């Protein structure tokens, strides 16, 4: 029986037009721009300076706190500069800029294609290796993985869930990983289960990926019986942690709570693969799979891409930007971010470059709310978006907090379903940030 989450959700067309595009290795450009802010939390501190020689996999940015992550060079060459450089939104962020010279890797990295199945490290050693290799969540927020695998005192994980939903339209990088590197993904899950001390794991995959479900079920049945494959009915935003936990286990994460409050740790397919490479191959996270897609492109691609590759170089490789392109999104169309600066470079969590036409991006003229309630029915968090929108426009912060604006996951279901074309999420997202700032500024009791 196919499962899904119990509240809200919408059904955009999945548009997985790059699903049959096998993973290709992207060629190295002449210059790489490696951000020191590729994760949630404090930016890494640069460890190199102009003129230094670096090798692929070398530590070039040190974690600057508990919630932070190491940064490694994705290439070998000479450091051209350590300075602010514009990110995809045009904001200056500290980068290490490297002129590429060959591709000389750190000798400690196992570059053989052999799959290493024996997990010899202890739980503490696993977590340290993951931290040393700079692994972060690749499902969106880029939360440092070693922190997620270290529940706070009093919290205990009972299950690990691997998120293979990939519910955002157009994205297929996780799908290709499940097809081409299924065993490494499952080994990554087994490694994290050992680190957490749990004996039961799940991988949730939406039913528009039957080949991935079949492959994972064959492998789990023969070699990974502690991991169960759960077929999920296609519905957005099933890849959200709270929605996935609900769909797979039936448990609910409390308001303002975290997955660990429901006894669950959720990790993305890409993260699981990165954990395998870190623990079994001693390979830092400096590359990942990225989808380049859109109906206006002549060809669709899933690239194995080094971190720090400029977007403009990626677009050059697919033949340039088609004339009918109106907007380029980093990520999916529901929760991705518009790229304002094509000179910006990829980061660890870059999952896609999506090219959209004017017809696909045109916003219809807003009209009056007709009180239809569709936004309420669609909200996967049980909120009332029409009300939050009105309160946000009126600046009523206390009422927004009372109505739990902080529980909004910014999925965009409300906007997607609104027949009046009201930009609900635009106002709610801004108001949520303001309310969260107010809440954080209060003295702790």
């Amino acid at each position: 029986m196919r499962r899904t989450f119990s509240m809200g959700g919408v059904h955009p067309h999945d548009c997985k037009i790059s699903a049959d595009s096998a993973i290709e290795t992207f060629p190295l450009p002449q210059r790489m721009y490696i951000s020191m802010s590729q994760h949630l939390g404090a930016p890494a501190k640069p460890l190199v300076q102009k003129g230094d020689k670096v090798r692929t996999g070398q530590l070039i940015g040190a974690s600057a706190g508990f919630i932070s992550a190491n940064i490694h060079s994705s290439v070998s060459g000479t450091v051209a500069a350590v300075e602010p450089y514009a990110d995809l939104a045009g904001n200056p962020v500290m980068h290490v800029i490297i002129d590429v010279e060959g591709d000389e890797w750190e000798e400690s990295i196992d570059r053989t294609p052999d799959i290493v199945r024996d997990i010899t490290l202890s739980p503490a050693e696993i977590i340290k290796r993951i931290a040393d290799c700079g692994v972060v969540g690749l499902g969106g927020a880029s939360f440092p993985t070693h922190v997620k695998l270290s529940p706070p005192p009093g919290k205990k994980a009972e299950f690990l869930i691997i998120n293979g939903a990939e519910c955002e339209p157009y994205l297929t990088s996780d799908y290709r990983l499940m097809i081409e590197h299924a065993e490494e993904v499952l080994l990554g899950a087994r490694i994290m289960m050992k680190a957490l001390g749990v004996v039961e794991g799940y991988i949730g995959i939406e039913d528009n990926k039957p080949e991935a479900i079949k492959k994972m079920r064959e492998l789990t049945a023969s070699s990974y019986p502690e991991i169960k494959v759960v077929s999920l009915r296609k519905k957005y935003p099933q890849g959200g942690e709270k929605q996935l936990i609900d769909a797979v286990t039936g448990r609910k994460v409390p308001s303002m709570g975290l997955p660990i409050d429901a006894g669950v740790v959720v990790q993305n397919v890409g993260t699981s693969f990165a954990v395998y490479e870190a623990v079994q191959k001693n390979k830092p996270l400096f590359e990942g799979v990225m989808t380049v897609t859109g109906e206006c492109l002549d060809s669709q691609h899933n690239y194995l891409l080094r971190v720090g590759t400029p977007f403009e170089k990626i677009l050059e490789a697919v033949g340039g930007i088609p004339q009918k392109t109106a907007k380029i999104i980093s990520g999916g169309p529901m929760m991705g971010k518009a790229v304002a600066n094509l000179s910006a470079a990829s980061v660890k969590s870059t999952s896609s470059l999506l090219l959209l036409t004017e017809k696909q991006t045109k916003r219809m003229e807003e009209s009056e709310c007709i009180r239809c309630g569709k936004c309420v029915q669609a909200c996967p968090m049980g909120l009332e978006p029409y009300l939050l929108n009105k309160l946000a426009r009126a600046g009523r912060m206390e009422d927004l907090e009372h109505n739990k604006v902080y529980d909004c996951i910014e999925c965009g279901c409300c906007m997607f379903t609104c027949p009046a074309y009201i930009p609900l999420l635009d106002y709610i997202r801004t108001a949520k940030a303001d309310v969260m700032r107010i809440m954080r500024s209060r003295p702790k009791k």
Side-chain angles (χ1 to χ4, degrees):
M1 178 181 171
R2 296 173 304 157
R3 307 180 195 177
T4 191
F5 54 97
S6 57
M7 184 188 300
V10 294
H11 296 86
H13 192 280
D14 59 15
C15 301
K16 305 289 189 179
I17 56 178
S18 57
D20 294 330
S21 301
I23 298 171
E24 315 162 59
T25 300
F26 193 85
L28 296 180
Q30 293 180 329
R31 177 169 276 197
M32 299 291 267
Y33 302 80
I34 302 176
S35 171
M36 295 292 101
S37 297
Q38 300 189 50
H39 47 266
L40 196 69
K45 294 180 180 178
L47 298 177
V48 293
Q49 56 189 354
K50 183 177 179 179
D52 286 353
K53 295 287 186 180
V54 296
R55 297 201 293 182
T56 305
Q58 179 180 328
L59 182 67
I60 60 171
S63 167
F66 179 62
I67 301 181
S68 186
N70 287 337
I71 304 290
H72 299 78
S73 177
S74 60
V75 292
S76 61
T78 302
V79 176
V82 179
E83 62 187 21
Y85 184 77
D87 66 7
L88 62 82
N91 299 316
V93 175
M94 188 60 67
H95 281 67
V96 173
I97 303 170
I98 302 171
D99 288 329
V100 180
E101 298 162 1
D103 193 22
E104 183 183 354
W105 288 43
E106 289 283 278
E107 293 178 358
S108 59
I109 301 171
D110 178 359
R111 300 183 65 186
T112 66
D114 304 329
I115 294 177
V116 182
R117 296 179 178 86
D118 292 334
I119 303 167
T120 59
L121 299 186
S122 68
E125 289 170 332
I126 287 170
I127 292 172
K128 183 179 185 304
R129 177 71 61 82
I130 289 169
D132 289 346
C133 288
V135 180
V136 300
L138 301 180
S142 302
F143 196 83
T145 300
H146 67 279
V147 179
K148 254 194 180 183
L149 297 177
S150 307
K155 306 286 185 181
K156 171 75 174 131
E158 298 174 54
F159 311 113
L160 172 73
I161 298 177
I162 300 300
N163 182 359
E166 199 166 44
C167 61
E168 271 269 13
Y170 289 98
L171 273 57
T172 59
S173 54
D174 285 351
Y175 173 69
R176 293 312 311 180
L177 273 175
M178 289 188 283
I179 294 297
E180 300 182 42
H181 296 282
E183 188 165 13
E184 294 97 316
V185 170
L186 291 173
L187 275 164
R190 179 175 278 177
I191 290 165
M192 289 186 283
M193 290 171 67
K194 181 175 181 179
L196 289 165
V198 303
V199 297
E200 194 171 348
Y202 299 91
I203 178 165
I205 308 172
E206 287 198 330
D207 59 9
N208 61 347
K209 305 173 186 67
E211 189 178 344
I213 292 172
K214 180 174 181 286
K215 188 150 194 171
M216 287 292 182
R217 280 186 170 156
E218 289 172 353
L219 267 172
T220 53
S222 64
S223 305
Y224 300 87
E226 73 276 28
I227 302 171
K228 297 177 177 64
V229 180
V230 180
S231 176
L232 303 170
R233 192 163 73 246
K234 182 173 76 77
K235 186 166 67 165
Y236 176 85
Q238 196 131 234
E241 285 188 327
K242 295 178 180 180
Q243 286 67 44
L244 189 64
I245 291 168
D246 180 11
V248 171
T249 70
R251 297 188 178 191
K252 303 290 191 294
V253 178
S255 175
M256 289 288 283
L258 297 170
I260 194 65
D261 296 318
V264 182
V265 170
V266 180
Q267 297 284 8
N268 174 263
V269 162
T271 309
S272 191
F273 181 68
V275 164
Y276 163 78
E277 292 202 309
V279 175
Q280 303 296 82
K281 298 284 189 174
N282 200 34
K283 179 183 173 184
L285 179 54
F286 57 74
E287 64 181 356
V289 181
M290 173 188 185
T291 303
V292 183
T293 186
E295 281 88 354
C296 55
L297 286 173
D298 292 332
S299 58
Q300 314 298 314
H301 300 271
N302 285 293
Y303 286 123
L304 180 63
L305 188 86
R306 302 279 181 97
V307 166
T309 303
F311 290 157
E312 57 192 1
K313 296 298 181 183
I314 301 168
L315 294 169
E316 283 177 15
V318 298
I321 303 172
Q323 196 167 16
K324 50 190 172 182
T325 304
K327 183 179 286 189
I328 300 174
I329 302 288
S330 176
M334 299 295 284
M335 295 185 73
K337 296 180 179 179
V339 178
N341 171 34
L342 289 176
S343 297
S346 66
V347 295
K348 294 177 182 181
S349 61
T350 301
S351 60
S352 170
L353 277 183
L354 170 60
L355 281 66
L356 298 173
T357 64
E358 186 174 353
K359 182 180 178 181
Q360 290 174 305
T361 59
K362 183 179 179 182
R363 284 198 176 187
M364 303 297 287
E365 186 175 348
E366 178 183 351
S367 59
E368 289 295 322
C369 174
I370 61 172
R371 312 293 195 274
C372 66
K374 285 188 175 182
C375 61
V376 178
Q377 294 171 356
C379 180
M381 295 303 296
L383 303 176
E384 298 177 287
Y386 76 91
L387 175 61
L388 297 177
N389 171 62
K390 287 186 174 295
L391 295 174
R393 293 190 186 210
R396 293 166 59 178
M397 295 295 122
E398 288 187 13
D399 290 331
L400 282 161
E401 183 178 349
H402 178 73
N403 283 278
K404 300 183 178 180
V405 70
Y406 44 74
D407 278 340
C408 172
I409 61 172
E410 303 179 27
C411 64
C413 286
C414 53
M415 276 180 65
F416 179 85
T417 196
C418 179
Y421 306 110
I422 300 169
L424 296 161
L425 180 58
D426 293 355
Y427 287 96
I428 293 170
R429 179 188 283 125
T430 302
K432 173 188 169 183
D434 291 339
V435 169
M436 295 297 288
R437 272 195 295 271
I438 291 169
M439 294 172 67
R440 284 193 295 266
S441 69
R442 291 174 184 153
K444 292 184 180 180
K445 295 181 181 179

